[in-house]
Amino acid sequence: FRGGVALPEQLELVHALGVRLAIVLGAVQLMRTGWGSGKSSQVDADASMPALPSKWAFKLSGEHWAGRGCVALVDVDEPGLRVLPGEDKPDFSEAGVVGKVAVVCDRTQGVGGSRMLHWEICVLDPMKHDVMNEFEEEVAEKAQQQLTNELHAALARHKASPEKKKSHNLW
C-alpha cells in the first residue's frame, strides 16, 4: 500500500477495499482470457479486444478516506495499490502513470441476494481526460436512482392512503 492517504480506522472499509481489489483482479483475468468477448478462442478474443492497461482506477468514498475525491490506483501486472488524494484532480503523473488507465465506473445496484455487479470500464489517458468526471457521472446516476426510488415510494404511499380508498358514489 502506497500513497499519501492513511488507511481508514474502520476495518470494514479496509475489507471493502480488499473485496474491490479482488474483483478488479478477477475481472482482468477473465477479460485477458477472452471472457465476454463473444469469441470462441483466445486468438479471436485477442484480435477483437483492445489491450488492457496495467493500471486500474476506482473511486474511494471521500468521507471515509482522508481527503475528498480519493482514487485507488491498482497495478494489475506488478501488484501494488496507491491511494491518490485530490479533490478535483488526483495527480496520476506523481504516481508514475504513463499512458492509459482503466477507469471503473460502478453502476452496481441491489442488496444481498438481489445485488447485481454492474461495472462500466473506460480506458482513457488521465493526462488528457478528466478521470473524476467519469466518477461524477456515477454519482449523478446514483442520485437519479435515489430520486426514482423516492418517487416510487411516494406513489405507493399515495395509492395506499385511506382517502384514496373511499368509495365515491356518483349515483
Side-chain angles (χ1 to χ4, degrees), residues 25-44:
L25 294 172
V28 169
Q29 181 64 32
L30 286 171
M31 286 189 282
R32 285 184 174 167
T33 58
W35 180 83
S37 67
K39 303 296 180 179
S40 59
S41 71
Q42 179 64 39
V43 173
D44 290 339

Side-chain angles (χ1 to χ4, degrees), residues 63-121:
E63 64 194 53
H64 300 298
W65 293 81
R68 241 182 75 212
C70 292
V71 173
L73 183 66
V74 181
D75 189 327
V76 296
D77 291 332
E78 298 176 21
L81 168 71
R82 289 185 72 113
V83 176
L84 308 177
E87 289 187 25
D88 296 322
K89 188 170 183 178
D91 189 358
F92 284 89
S93 62
E94 182 266 323
V97 173
V98 177
K100 295 183 177 180
V101 173
V103 178
V104 177
C105 299
D106 193 355
R107 312 273 193 254
T108 301
Q109 294 181 356
V111 179
S114 66
R115 187 169 176 84
M116 173 85 62
L117 180 69
H118 178 184
W119 280 2
E120 291 181 11
I121 302 167

